[in-house]
Amino acid sequence: MDRNAGSFVAMRRLSGGSSCHDPSPNTYAEVVAGSTAWIGRGFSCVCAQRRDSDQRISFDLSPAQECCLQRLQNRIEVPYDGSNGEHQEALKTLWHVSFPGTELLGLVSDQWKEMGWQGKDPSTDFRGGGFISLENLLYFAKNYTKSFQELLCKQNGDRALWEYPFAVAGVNITFMLIQMLDLQAAKPRSLIGSVFLNLLLENDRAFDILYCITFKLMDHKWLEMHANYMDFNAVIKSTRRQLERELLLEDIQRIEDMPSYRFLDR
């Protein structure tokens, strides 16, 4: 994971113009970039800190848990490769499920800014999350379409003038979850990580579903806190704390048992 990748972008909502589902090349939301990075680098203080107690805890895994963890780690280790045909097709699919009926002009195009990428080429924004962050976005778009479109188009609530960029926020959520669950370790070093592996054993798509829960919960916190782009780290911290509390509830046997799962809508 590249903790130093990226810089912040904020997207100003413009009244009028094209709808979210018709991103005309001439009507993009205004995008502002700066050096106060919360994309990727800003998470070093949010996700990567590890308590001393975490270093002393080690949870043994069953063979089935080891297999589940290894499969997920194999996905995490794959970097996004802009020259890889499979990766290119996945990116095109993300466009088509996000903006059905709107022609994509190219893998490098100003159109991508409408989705909340930092520039014309989305591949440069995957450094912090790898290919799995694209897989997460695709899973969200295909399996919880209504919630995905609500967040993409910022349809709910009293939105800020300067909003978080949807796609780059999604990459950061992948990064945050990998850090929170310590998924690059050989075995869990925290109770949170151990609990999650049980959920992963029950459903091998638990990480993707948790991603969808987290994205929707993050947006809920964003609205609740009346946040703007400078508050993004505070919102992520609040989201992480909520996830940790929910994962430790005694009655969580499946990822769908998490209370925040209720925010998702297909």
Side-chain angles (χ1 to χ4, degrees):
M1 291 293 157
D2 182 359
R3 297 179 193 164
N4 297 316
S7 57
F8 86 76
V9 282
M11 298 192 69
R12 190 173 74 170
R13 297 173 61 246
L14 301 181
S15 59
S18 64
S19 70
C20 175
H21 298 287
D22 181 23
S24 165
N26 298 317
T27 54
Y28 299 116
E30 183 176 349
V31 178
V32 175
S35 58
T36 308
W38 52 260
I39 303 297
R41 182 164 66 235
F43 279 163
S44 61
C45 63
V46 179
C47 310
Q49 292 178 347
R50 192 174 288 124
R51 295 181 294 273
D52 291 340
S53 60
D54 292 337
Q55 301 287 356
R56 296 193 297 269
I57 298 174
S58 180
F59 295 86
D60 291 330
L61 302 180
S62 69
Q65 287 176 318
E66 287 182 353
C67 184
C68 286
L69 178 59
Q70 186 60 59
R71 285 199 300 267
L72 181 54
Q73 288 177 333
N74 289 343
R75 292 176 62 195
I76 290 169
E77 290 170 3
V78 177
Y80 182 84
D81 180 357
S83 65
N84 183 305
E86 178 186 351
H87 294 192
Q88 291 175 353
E89 287 304 313
L91 190 57
K92 291 176 185 177
T93 301
L94 178 63
W95 175 268
H96 293 308
V97 297
S98 300
F99 303 109
T102 301
E103 180 185 1
L104 176 63
L105 301 181
L107 289 174
V108 178
S109 167
D110 276 326
Q111 286 176 297
W112 290 106
K113 296 177 185 178
E114 183 70 20
M115 194 183 292
W117 300 103
Q118 295 187 83
K120 297 180 179 181
D121 184 1
S123 67
T124 62
D125 290 328
F126 285 116
R127 289 173 295 177
F131 183 58
I132 193 174
S133 58
L134 175 53
E135 292 181 315
N136 289 156
L137 282 166
L138 269 174
Y139 185 89
F140 192 11
K142 291 179 177 181
N143 291 274
Y144 300 96
T145 303
K146 188 173 187 297
S147 291
F148 179 89
Q149 289 293 336
E150 286 173 350
L151 300 191
L152 173 64
C153 301
K154 305 293 195 300
Q155 292 174 346
N156 293 338
D158 183 15
R159 312 303 308 197
L161 178 62
W162 293 98
E163 278 285 330
Y164 65 85
F166 172 80
V168 181
V171 174
N172 274 326
I173 287 172
T174 298
F175 179 89
M176 183 270 282
L177 289 175
I178 291 169
Q179 296 294 309
M180 182 185 82
L181 301 170
D182 200 16
L183 290 176
Q184 292 175 300
K187 56 184 178 179
R189 293 178 290 188
S190 69
L191 184 56
I192 293 288
S194 180
V195 166
F196 175 74
L197 276 189
N198 286 330
L199 301 178
L200 188 63
L201 186 60
E202 192 277 332
N203 185 340
D204 63 1
R205 282 295 187 176
F207 184 78
D208 300 273
I209 297 171
L210 181 60
Y211 172 88
C212 301
I213 292 170
T214 303
F215 213 144
K216 191 66 175 173
L217 176 61
M218 185 276 291
D219 190 74
H220 177 78
K221 294 281 187 183
W222 178 273
L223 294 173
E224 187 177 67
M225 295 168 66
H226 303 288
N228 61 45
Y229 71 95
M230 292 300 291
D231 302 315
F232 190 82
N233 269 342
V235 173
I236 283 290
K237 287 180 181 179
S238 178
T239 302
R240 174 172 173 164
R241 287 192 295 268
Q242 180 69 29
L243 292 172
E244 290 174 335
R245 286 193 296 267
E246 293 188 15
L247 284 168
L248 293 179
L249 293 174
E250 291 184 2
D251 57 349
I252 304 299
Q253 303 298 319
R254 307 176 307 137
I255 197 72
E256 294 90 347
D257 293 334
M258 292 180 65
S260 290
Y261 182 78
R262 73 185 189 277
F263 290 130
L264 288 173
D265 196 338
R266 296 181 185 274

